[in-house]
Amino acid sequence: MSEGGTVPGRLIAVVGPSGVGKDSLMEALCAKRPDLVRVRRVVTRAPEAGGEDFEAISPALFAARAAGGDFALHWQAHGLSYGIPREVHQTLARGQDALANLSRAMLGQAARVFPGLHVLHVTARPEVLAARLAGRGREGRAEIARRLARPAPAFPAGLTVTEIDNSGPLERAVDAALSALYPERV
Ligand SMILES: Nc1ncnc2c1ncn2[C@@H]1O[C@H](COP(=O)(O)OP(=O)(O)OP(=O)(O)O)[C@@H](O)[C@H]1O
Ligand SMILES: O=P(O)(O)OC[C@H]1O[C@H](OP(=O)(O)O)[C@H](O)[C@@H]1O
């Protein structure tokens, strides 16, 4: 329920294969649109892993918080647990849009939890993905192979989805995302 008649903000799900540029795109979008909120996820990843700004917690604590209803959404992937803190609902109620890196497998549930969900489906050519993961150096060769082999689930019908090809310069993907999200912008 929005606060005092304010038009609620949208949860903008940024999804796509590992290495496609989700984190890079979200960082660039927030730089262009300071009013955009990026959801700080709770992840059972080692705090020193680098990359996104996330809250690192143990699997046991994650399970307890999930059982306690702390997360608006949570899921498992890559041997990790990921949670979207329920406080994001307050952000949306204030009329702010929020960006969240979600699993493609969670989009049906996300649409039920977040009316007005907008999905940015980030894509890139397979050879580009492989090169970027190798260049980023966050995962080892075996984990990169596993991530590249991860099947892409079909999306549920009825979602608002914008496909963003990030095979080229990041700025091009940023412009495409902004045009889709804020068509009224000059
Ligand atoms: N348009 C682009 N051109 C060149 N390099 C890019 C572009 N977008 C992202 N990269 C680089 O590709 C690598 C992967 O990007 P990023 O970490 O944002 O992907 P991701 O989708 O968040 O990956 P993961 O799901 O594994 O976290 C990074 O090194 C990033 O700097
Ligand atoms: O392949 P799918 O299920 O879409 O995504 C798998 C995982 O990768 C991304 O997280 P990260 O980039 O690993 O932090 C997603 O948020 C999800 O947690």
Side-chain angles (χ1 to χ4, degrees):
M1 188 59 185
S2 60
E3 292 174 0
T6 305
V7 175
R10 295 167 294 184
L11 196 285
I12 300 163
V14 181
V15 302
S18 186
V20 77
K22 298 182 294 294
D23 285 326
S24 304
L25 179 62
M26 287 188 289
E27 187 178 337
L29 287 172
C30 288
K32 290 265 189 181
R33 296 278 310 204
D35 55 323
L36 254 182
V37 173
R38 179 172 176 171
V39 173
R40 185 170 187 253
R41 301 191 302 179
V42 179
V43 188
T44 56
R45 183 190 286 138
E48 65 275 8
E52 72 178 285
D53 170 31
F54 68 98
E55 181 184 347
I57 62 171
S58 68
L61 187 51
F62 188 98
R65 287 183 58 182
D70 277 14
F71 304 130
L73 291 172
H74 64 90
W75 64 93
Q76 313 285 320
H78 302 315
L80 301 170
S81 296
Y82 299 79
I84 302 297
R86 65 182 177 192
E87 286 75 14
V88 69
H89 288 299
Q90 296 163 21
T91 301
L92 304 182
R94 286 196 299 270
Q96 287 184 281
D97 289 341
L99 286 172
N101 176 342
L102 299 186
S103 165
R104 290 163 289 182
M106 292 299 292
L107 291 178
Q109 186 175 344
R112 290 188 291 274
V113 173
F114 298 104
L117 177 76
H118 192 128
V119 179
L120 295 182
H121 180 203
V122 191
T123 63
R125 295 190 306 275
E127 67 275 13
V128 170
L129 290 180
R132 288 186 183 160
L133 286 175
R136 178 174 70 184
R138 188 177 78 191
E139 290 83 15
R141 291 167 63 90
E143 175 60 14
I144 286 176
R146 271 194 293 274
R147 285 182 173 237
L148 290 171
R150 186 175 171 85
F155 290 3
L159 295 178
T160 300
V161 182
T162 302
E163 180 162 320
I164 303 287
D165 182 352
N166 189 33
S167 300
L170 181 62
E171 198 57 30
R172 194 177 300 162
V174 172
D175 285 345
L178 289 174
S179 296
L181 293 171
Y182 306 102
E184 75 287 353
R185 76 189 180 109
V186 291

